[in-house]
């Protein structure tokens, strides 16, 4: 399962079939936006110790860390 730290203000564009099953976000109060396929973006906050899981099943995925840029990276994505 690959892990990627997603710095504040950055976006990860994961093409089709890169995420075969689930996408998991682990954050420290990180604001995020997740778009799966052609669906509307899902906006939320990844709280400390509470993984956020999305069923992706091979669709394209865009994950944005929308936390204000100043500060250390606060979001990790894994799939």
């Amino acid at each position: 399962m690959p892990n990627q730290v997603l710095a504040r203000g950055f976006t990860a564009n994961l093409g089709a079939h890169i995420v075969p099953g689930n996408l998991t976000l682990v954050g420290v109060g990180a604001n995020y936006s997740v778009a799966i396929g052609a669906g509307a973006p899902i906006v939320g906050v990844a709280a400390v110790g509470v993984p956020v899981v999305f069923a992706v099943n091979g669709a394209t995925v865009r994950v944005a860390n929308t936390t204000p840029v100043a500060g250390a990276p606060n979001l990790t994505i894994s799939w």
Side-chain angles (χ1 to χ4, degrees), residues 34-72:
V34 174
I36 301 170
I42 301 162
V43 177
V45 177
V48 177
V50 183
V52 182
V53 180
F54 297 94
V56 175
N57 301 319
T60 58
V61 180
R62 182 186 60 78
V63 181
N65 184 341
T66 58
T67 308
V69 177

Side-chain angles (χ1 to χ4, degrees), residues 22-42:
N22 294 333
L23 171 75
T24 303
L25 308 181
V26 177
V28 182
N31 296 312
Y32 65 82
S33 171
V34 174
I36 301 170
I42 301 162

